[in-house]
Amino acid sequence: MSHPVWEVFRQERRGQPFEHAGSVVAPDADFAEAWAREQYGRRGESVALWLVPRDAIRDVEDWADEFDLKYRRVDGYSIKARLKEARERAGTVGPG
Amino acid sequence: MNEQALLGLADDELVLGWRDSEWTGIAPLLEEDVAFSSIAQNEIGHARAVYELLAGPDGDADVLAFDRRPEEYRCAPLVELHLLEWAHTIARRWLYEVADEIRITALKQDSDTAVAGLAAKIDREEAYHRMHAEMWHDRLRDEPRFQAAVAELWPHALGVLPAELRGELVSRVGLGEVEATERGTHTDELAPMWEEMTMVRRSAPAGAQW
Amino acid sequence: MAAVEIPQEEQAFLEYVQGGGQVETTDWMTDDYRAKLIKFIEMHGNSELMGVLPEREWILRAPTLQRKLALTAKVQDEVGHAQLIYRVVEDLGKPREQCLADLVDGKAKFHNVFHYPTKTWGDVGVIAWLVDAAAIISQKALLKCSYAPYARIMKKICWEESFHILHGRDVILAMVTGTPEQFELVQEALDRWWGPLMQFHGNPIPSDEDPMYLWRIKSQGNEEARQQFLDGYVPQIWELGLTVPDPKLRKRDDGVWEYTEPDWAELKHVVTGHGPKTQERLALRRGFLEQEQWVRDAVLAA
């Protein structure tokens, strides 16, 4: 594409994450700012914007998952059975 | 407060806002269309705020904005021109913003605190208009169409300001001082604009709600 | 966990999107999906851009400062929507310049309602209240679009449209509680807009024959959208003492609205470029595009 695209990230309220909101086609940062200000802020919907040329963004989309790395994820732990056994041993199993 | 000068300011902002709002939907780039429309809306908002100040707490800004005869408006000829072509539109925007900054800066020093306060508010919003105008001026400064439009509108731009403030405008714009198209008489473009602007409002009795 | 891989085969891709799978710009998609998506989304963008034209005349004639500002802001939103939408189309592979060229050359379509004239301030109210209401129903059905970039912009679009309906309703209420002449302006505008409004959602196509539904681009069939419009807005119209120019319009006991069959031939005739204002409006767009080409060249050149 010949025309420069600027990605717009907006923050809705102070403290919130910046989220991708869309893009504007603009020749430079000044035009991108003038235009993104209105497109993403005229109704008070943003308190801050980050403007980034699309080319500056590195897109990362895939991870290898060949080996058993369950220990790194929440679903890799099954607490219930062991907890039940521990409570039974300690005599602290509650009603029901 | 100098009511005539304030009315001139309000009428300038109203009429220029009206002219600029005509670009909504047909500007050269969609992104600019959106941004430009905000500027037009802001101008009308400024006009409304000044009319409200002039009308007082029991007055009605709409009455001042719409219910005078064309010859009673105090706007400068620059804003009346119907310029539905981009080089002229941006040239006018830029010239007007430079002139208006000089005018507003003076008003911020007004002895009437209500006027000074309102001028300060307007100035803070106009800062963004100035950024926008400078951005376009930078981009188009070498474009012959733009240069020609600026030169053509220059006498009108001088007429936006009272004589004692024109020196500053001359040095900022960088063109030689010429005979100004003075405020006080109207171009023949104002009356047709006023007709269209007021046609719906005049179709109902005065005081009708819309 | 392996990233979700989109199956690179027609039937498997269809099953993927039908099962709720989302597609991003750089994902593989079938040529058919991409082509249908571009055409559908482009028509939406064209409609927003053409929808500006019937309304912008009234910006200049608005009877109060507040109405002037509100109407300008509404039309500005529509231009903003066009910008969002054409960006999506461009990222799918069709440049904005091409979309605009096809639009003004009559090669691409836009919604029926924007081919009709606006005649009075009553139209301004009816359009903002009812045409935008019909549009928002269609747009809400796009919020879960399988093509994620389009679904995401729909959220902003729907949010902004909600302001338009409020504005429209306010304009209408001011007039129906004003002078008898003002009430009549609203009724007369409604009488003219009812036909196009009933045609707006399109002729009823069974969902399993509607590619837009099958590819989960939209989540609602045409008739369902129309029923939703009638259910939401006919009571609002009637409660103001306004009448709808369809003697057959009524809600059955089972909740289904009956109405006179819309003129589908008229709809087809209009969207293929023969509406009362089609050529004039396309010519206006074409004129300004040509006049201002130098600006785009000056701004977007390196």
Side-chain angles (χ1 to χ4, degrees):
Chain A
M1 190 184 322
S2 52
H3 301 319
V5 177
W6 292 72
E7 302 291 352
V8 181
F9 296 80
R10 60 176 266 266
Q11 187 189 40
E12 192 159 309
R13 280 191 301 283
R14 294 244 168 273
Q16 303 233 302
F18 280 77
E19 288 184 348
H20 184 247
S23 52
V24 295
V25 174
D28 61 36
D30 287 342
F31 272 93
E33 177 180 337
W35 290 343
R37 275 181 177 282
E38 294 314 310
Q39 182 64 312
Y40 294 98
R42 68 184 181 274
R43 288 190 184 273
E45 70 261 44
S46 310
V47 298
L49 301 178
W50 285 347
L51 306 175
V52 185
R54 178 171 278 185
D55 287 348
I57 293 183
R58 175 170 294 198
D59 200 359
V60 177
E61 282 183 16
D62 56 271
W63 280 257
D65 187 19
E66 308 297 337
F67 298 98
D68 179 4
L69 301 174
K70 283 214 285 270
Y71 68 91
R72 288 191 189 160
R73 302 196 313 265
V74 171
D75 65 322
Y77 292 84
S78 69
I79 301 277
K80 266 174 117 166
R82 292 253 182 92
L83 181 58
K84 182 173 182 228
E85 188 186 331
R87 280 173 173 160
E88 280 164 0
R89 275 212 200 169
T92 57
V93 178
Chain B
M1 65 172 92
N2 181 341
E3 289 206 2
Q4 285 302 292
L6 281 176
L7 202 55
L9 168 63
D11 288 346
D12 280 354
E13 298 276 305
L14 177 74
V15 175
L16 184 58
W18 222 270
R19 289 296 191 208
D20 283 347
S21 73
E22 200 176 359
W23 279 104
T24 306
I26 52 174
L29 295 120
L30 293 176
E31 286 86 348
E32 174 61 22
D33 202 314
V34 173
F36 201 78
S37 186
S38 283
I39 291 174
Q41 290 170 52
N42 291 348
E43 302 284 6
I44 302 219
H46 299 165
R48 179 166 66 171
V50 180
Y51 289 137
E52 280 168 355
L53 187 63
L54 288 168
D58 301 318
D60 185 342
D62 284 332
V63 169
L64 269 177
F66 293 91
D67 297 345
R68 288 175 285 153
R69 298 287 318 155
E71 52 275 13
E72 293 174 87
Y73 285 74
R74 293 277 308 150
C75 47
L78 178 68
V79 301
E80 298 173 9
L81 302 172
H82 195 203
L83 301 173
L84 216 54
E85 182 277 311
W86 198 250
H88 283 85
T89 290
I90 285 291
R92 173 165 64 187
R93 277 252 98 249
W94 180 70
L95 287 166
Y96 181 80
E97 288 301 336
V98 182
D100 197 40
E101 184 175 14
I102 296 166
R103 168 170 58 182
I104 290 286
T105 302
L107 272 178
K108 278 162 69 173
Q109 312 304 318
D110 200 282
S111 53
D112 183 324
T113 48
V115 172
L118 181 52
K121 277 178 80 165
I122 289 175
D123 190 44
R124 284 193 288 275
E125 200 165 66
E126 292 281 357
Y128 298 102
H129 298 186
R130 293 193 282 265
M131 271 167 56
H132 171 270
E134 284 306 323
M135 182 181 87
W136 275 101
H137 177 248
D138 276 345
R139 187 128 289 240
L140 297 183
R141 64 181 351 133
D142 298 327
E143 169 67 46
R145 264 177 262 238
F146 181 71
Q147 291 166 343
V150 171
E152 196 185 313
L153 295 172
W154 177 229
H156 290 74
L158 284 166
V160 171
L161 294 173
E164 65 270 19
L165 295 178
R166 284 176 196 167
E168 170 127 32
L169 184 60
V170 167
S171 68
R172 286 202 205 183
V173 169
L175 293 175
E177 181 143 15
V178 300
E179 192 179 331
T181 314
E182 297 284 353
R183 197 184 290 268
T185 53
H186 293 295
T187 66
D188 53 19
E189 308 205 50
L190 181 65
M193 192 204 103
W194 182 89
E195 286 291 325
E196 184 161 25
M197 181 172 91
T198 58
M199 62 184 270
V200 173
R201 188 174 170 88
R202 282 181 289 116
S203 72
Q209 64 182 27
W210 286 104
Chain C
M1 187 157 49
V4 172
E5 287 221 6
I6 296 194
Q8 298 199 9
E9 183 276 324
E10 176 115 21
Q11 184 56 32
F13 180 81
L14 177 58
E15 284 165 18
Y16 170 73
V17 299
Q18 285 183 332
Q22 299 253 268
V23 182
E24 296 285 351
T25 310
T26 48
D27 287 339
W28 186 87
M29 60 186 88
T30 64
D31 290 341
D32 194 27
Y33 180 84
R34 184 186 297 272
K36 286 193 166 55
L37 205 54
I38 287 176
K39 192 167 173 202
F40 183 87
I41 300 176
E42 186 184 358
M43 181 170 174
H44 184 185
N46 294 344
S47 301
E48 295 278 357
L49 205 56
M50 294 308 288
V52 162
L53 299 183
E55 291 187 283
R56 56 178 282 288
E57 305 167 26
W58 298 93
I59 290 175
L60 299 172
R61 302 169 188 160
T64 68
L65 293 172
Q66 197 276 343
R67 293 298 184 214
K68 160 83 167 174
L69 289 170
L71 184 56
T72 310
K74 172 191 190 304
V75 177
Q76 176 190 38
D77 282 349
E78 270 134 35
V79 179
H81 297 168
Q83 190 274 342
L84 297 172
I85 295 165
Y86 286 130
R87 279 267 62 252
V88 170
V89 175
E90 190 155 57
D91 286 346
L92 274 167
K94 184 169 181 181
R96 188 190 298 184
E97 293 76 21
Q98 192 58 54
C99 294
L100 295 174
D102 285 352
L103 172 64
V104 299
D105 287 344
K107 292 181 189 153
K109 299 199 172 104
F110 56 99
H111 285 312
N112 69 320
V113 286
F114 307 121
H115 295 253
Y116 291 89
T118 49
K119 296 194 175 169
T120 71
W121 187 251
D123 293 49
V124 172
V126 168
I127 288 174
W129 177 37
L130 297 176
V131 173
D132 277 38
I136 211 178
I137 287 168
S138 302
Q139 285 162 4
K140 283 189 171 160
L142 299 170
L143 284 166
K144 302 233 173 88
C145 178
S146 52
Y147 185 62
Y150 190 46
R152 291 192 288 261
I153 65 167
M154 290 316 305
K155 195 173 163 208
K156 178 170 159 72
I157 289 176
C158 287
W159 181 69
E160 289 170 358
E161 288 286 348
S162 64
F163 289 102
H164 304 175
I165 298 178
L166 276 177
H167 153 76
R169 205 127 190 252
D170 199 43
V171 169
I172 294 288
L173 285 170
M175 285 201 280
V176 301
T177 57
T179 67
E181 290 78 17
Q182 285 175 308
F183 187 99
E184 206 31 55
L185 272 183
V186 176
Q187 182 63 66
E188 193 273 329
L190 182 56
D191 290 344
R192 273 184 292 107
W193 282 95
W194 192 252
L197 273 169
M198 286 300 287
Q199 295 165 11
F200 178 83
H201 290 113
N203 49 329
I205 306 173
S207 297
D208 55 5
E209 287 173 36
D210 187 348
M212 296 301 117
Y213 189 83
L214 288 173
W215 289 107
R216 287 192 75 246
I217 292 168
K218 65 181 195 186
S219 62
Q220 188 184 56
N222 294 349
E223 185 56 27
E224 194 187 330
R226 188 166 19 255
Q227 286 290 327
Q228 202 182 328
F229 172 73
L230 293 168
D231 213 44
Y233 291 90
V234 174
Q236 283 189 12
I237 294 169
W238 283 342
E239 76 179 347
L240 298 181
L242 294 162
T243 60
V244 170
D246 181 0
K248 282 199 190 158
L249 183 69
R250 71 178 195 99
K251 187 168 175 174
R252 296 199 311 234
D253 292 335
D254 61 358
V256 172
W257 285 86
E258 284 183 347
Y259 49 85
T260 304
E261 189 72 14
D263 188 345
W264 301 122
E266 179 187 350
L267 175 64
K268 184 164 181 191
H269 188 68
V270 164
V271 299
T272 52
H274 306 98
K277 287 293 215 173
T278 315
Q279 294 309 316
E280 183 187 311
R281 287 182 180 153
L282 290 179
L284 182 82
R285 278 254 161 254
R286 194 181 305 121
F288 277 100
L289 274 175
E290 283 166 6
Q291 179 188 291
E292 295 150 14
Q293 181 60 48
W294 72 270
V295 183
R296 286 185 290 282
D297 292 342
V299 171
L300 295 176

